[in-house]
Amino acid sequence: MRKIAGAIGLGLTLSAGCLVAAVTASAEPAQPRSLYAPSALVLTVGQGEDASTAAIQRAVTLSCAPRPSGTHPAAAEACAELSAVDGDFSGLAVTESDNGRACTRDWRPITVTAEGVWDGRRVSYAHTFPNNCVKEGATSLVFAF
């Protein structure tokens, strides 16, 4: 009986040792997978005056580091435009008179948003245009999807 108890005790000791080794291995700090700061965004276009209540019509993902990717149809160009303004979305838009596009003055608001991370910094951007014509004429490729 003593031998059985000793064998059971040894088995429990070995199991506990394996458990400690497994916990120790998983407790090591995570190593970065890339040398690049993350740049990953979710971009939306929605019908409505406010980002929190707009009915989302389209949404895409855009990742720019280490290479352009995502569901955005022109990921490389959009990443290049964002890089040119250091991720400052307000630097992408121009006024209606700057682009020479003639749009009606009807009020059918379109709101664009960007949420995520740019070069390791949290990004949250929203802008409302009076209608789709103004949006199409005033934005870069970043919100052209």
Side-chain angles (χ1 to χ4, degrees), residues 82-93:
L82 283 169
S83 291
V85 295
D86 194 30
D88 179 13
F89 284 86
S90 61
L92 295 175

Side-chain angles (χ1 to χ4, degrees), residues 43-45 58 60 71-75 78 81 92 112 132 135-137 139-145:
L43 308 172
T44 67
V45 174
R58 295 178 303 282
V60 297
T71 59
H72 195 288
E81 288 182 358
L92 295 175
V112 297
N132 197 53
K135 178 195 114 26
E136 294 298 321
T139 58
S140 66
L141 285 174
V142 174
F143 290 105
F145 53 86

